[in-house]
Amino acid sequence: MAATVNCSGGECEFNNSNHYKQAKTYCPQVLAYEDVETEHSYFTILKTGQKCEVFEITE
């Protein structure tokens, strides 16, 4: 199952992520229930393939 993310202003909340529940990213776009693949230091938006680096994580 892919994780989903909601982001606004670089602050993101994740559902079903094995790596984090909340994180801050340098990607500025607004995302609503977007499917993503998470890694330890970034996540990838599946629809576009864009990688968003994560710089602060809240477990």
Side-chain angles (χ1 to χ4, degrees):
M1 172 182 271
T4 59
V5 67
N6 295 305
C7 293
S8 180
E11 296 195 15
C12 302
E13 292 186 10
F14 295 83
N15 295 309
N16 302 319
S17 169
N18 293 329
H19 298 96
Y20 26 80
K21 291 185 181 193
Q22 294 181 317
K24 292 185 181 178
T25 180
Y26 295 114
C27 291
Q29 67 264 56
V30 174
L31 301 171
Y33 298 101
E34 192 71 44
D35 289 332
V36 294
E37 182 177 315
T38 60
E39 299 295 337
H40 289 289
S41 61
Y42 65 91
F43 63 92
T44 304
I45 302 168
L46 296 181
K47 187 181 350 181
T48 64
Q50 179 181 4
K51 285 186 179 180
C52 294
E53 183 179 342
V54 170
F55 65 87
E56 187 176 312
I57 297 170
T58 304
E59 301 293 329

